[in-house]
Amino acid sequence: MTLSIKSEGLNYTVVGNGENLCLLHGFLENKEIWDPFLTNLAKHYRVISIDLPGHGESSLLAAGNTMVDMAHAVHSVLRECGIAKVKFIGHSMGGYVALAYAETFPQEVMGVLLMNSTPEADTLERKELRKHGIKVAKTNYEALISMSVVNLFTQKFRANLEEEIQQTKNTALATSQQSYIACQEAMALRTDYSNLFKQALFKKKIVLGAHDTLLDSSHLTHKFSNQNVEVVVLDGGHMLHLENPNDLMKHLIQF
């Protein structure tokens, strides 16, 4: 299904019946990352999976592409579907959008599962890395994507995931340089949602990879596990949906 928002196209699909569950993919991905999980999730939920702005078959938003802008775009999709109450599962950047949604539409959110994602804002070091990525993207986009994608996967899983890594690269390269730059800038400027996540009354869970090079699982476990947040650390890196799908599935269903 495609929903038009302010003359921009946002692509989404709906499958299953039951409690509403919205799936939000990460940076340089699209909603197809959820395809291996849809059959099982649809037995328990009405599942809405969305191509976020600038990804998959969805266009960048004309007015802006901050996490809050994306949250409003997601809200329009859910309104089109007649949904007023929803749980979210967000991978990486998708988690940031889910948190922006929770801040903007707090009465509508029943739960947020952050998958390889964090409520924290970028550190200064991370912001500098994003600036560097933007600079390189303007001159050597393909090499940047190739290197960046490989580093998302844990070393020990790479040999067995060559096809998946190549497909991830292909999907990332299908994302325009304009979208890459817009989303990197937006993620660097995003709000710190740590207090919101700690204090929120909705169901909360964080699923992390023990070997994620982008997120410190020990730090996040220490910071959030005593704040009515369930924190789970699985074997894998930043791409748990490809590196450890079976264990991940159990936690998605339980949520």
Side-chain angles (χ1 to χ4, degrees):
M1 304 179 188
T2 300
L3 170 67
S4 294
I5 301 175
K6 297 180 180 178
S7 76
E8 303 288 349
L10 206 62
N11 187 53
Y12 70 100
T13 58
V14 182
V15 62
N17 292 289
E19 188 178 6
N20 297 309
L21 176 65
C22 184
L23 306 179
L24 302 177
H25 63 78
F27 182 48
L28 302 181
E29 298 174 337
N30 61 41
K31 64 184 180 62
E32 292 179 4
I33 72 163
W34 306 112
D35 286 356
F37 303 93
L38 286 181
T39 298
N40 283 328
L41 288 175
K43 295 176 182 177
H44 306 271
Y45 299 99
R46 181 189 185 196
V47 183
I48 306 92
S49 53
I50 300 172
D51 280 339
L52 288 171
H55 295 74
E57 297 181 30
S58 294
S59 304
L60 276 173
L61 301 173
N65 289 274
T66 67
M67 299 300 105
V68 174
D69 291 328
M70 292 191 190
H72 278 279
V74 170
H75 185 258
S76 293
V77 168
L78 299 184
R79 275 287 177 267
E80 176 76 6
C81 296
I83 292 171
K85 300 287 185 180
V86 64
K87 284 183 178 178
F88 285 97
I89 296 175
H91 179 236
S92 197
M93 186 184 76
Y96 310 153
V97 176
L99 291 169
Y101 194 107
E103 180 184 55
T104 310
F105 307 104
Q107 302 304 316
E108 300 183 13
V109 178
M110 306 301 291
V112 173
L113 186 152
L114 300 177
M115 182 179 118
N116 298 116
S117 191
T118 174
E120 295 182 327
D122 271 357
T123 62
L124 291 176
E125 179 183 12
R126 186 66 187 154
K127 289 181 179 181
E128 288 302 315
L129 288 172
R130 294 195 194 279
K131 288 181 182 178
H132 177 70
I134 290 171
K135 182 178 180 181
V136 176
K138 294 176 180 178
T139 58
N140 202 346
Y141 190 53
E142 187 171 348
L144 170 68
I145 294 301
S146 181
M147 180 183 68
S148 300
V149 166
V150 170
N151 289 335
L152 297 175
F153 291 82
T154 305
Q155 182 72 43
K156 70 176 183 178
F157 291 126
R158 291 178 189 173
N160 294 326
L161 293 173
E162 290 183 356
E163 289 186 16
E164 289 83 354
I165 291 172
Q166 185 58 52
Q167 181 56 50
T168 302
K169 289 180 183 180
N170 294 342
T171 299
L173 286 170
T175 308
S176 69
Q177 289 170 287
Q178 182 184 8
S179 295
Y180 177 96
I181 293 169
C183 292
Q184 283 282 43
E185 291 175 342
M187 287 188 286
L189 294 173
R190 74 182 189 277
T191 299
D192 190 306
Y193 289 114
S194 295
N195 287 335
L196 178 146
F197 201 60
K198 289 178 180 179
Q199 297 168 10
L201 299 180
F202 54 70
K203 189 171 185 178
K204 297 168 287 187
K205 189 168 186 173
I206 305 177
V207 181
L208 301 167
H211 311 291
D212 193 329
T213 57
L214 300 183
L215 299 172
D216 185 337
S217 59
S218 296
H219 163 70
L220 292 172
T221 299
H222 177 75
K223 181 171 181 176
F224 291 102
S225 61
N226 294 322
Q227 302 294 330
N228 198 30
V229 179
E230 182 182 2
V231 182
V232 177
V233 181
L234 302 178
D235 189 18
H238 196 69
M239 307 294 277
L240 286 175
H241 57 290
L242 295 173
E243 296 173 295
N244 196 345
N246 293 331
D247 286 346
L248 176 63
M249 173 65 82
K250 297 174 186 176
H251 291 284
L252 300 188
I253 294 293
Q254 289 172 2
F255 184 72

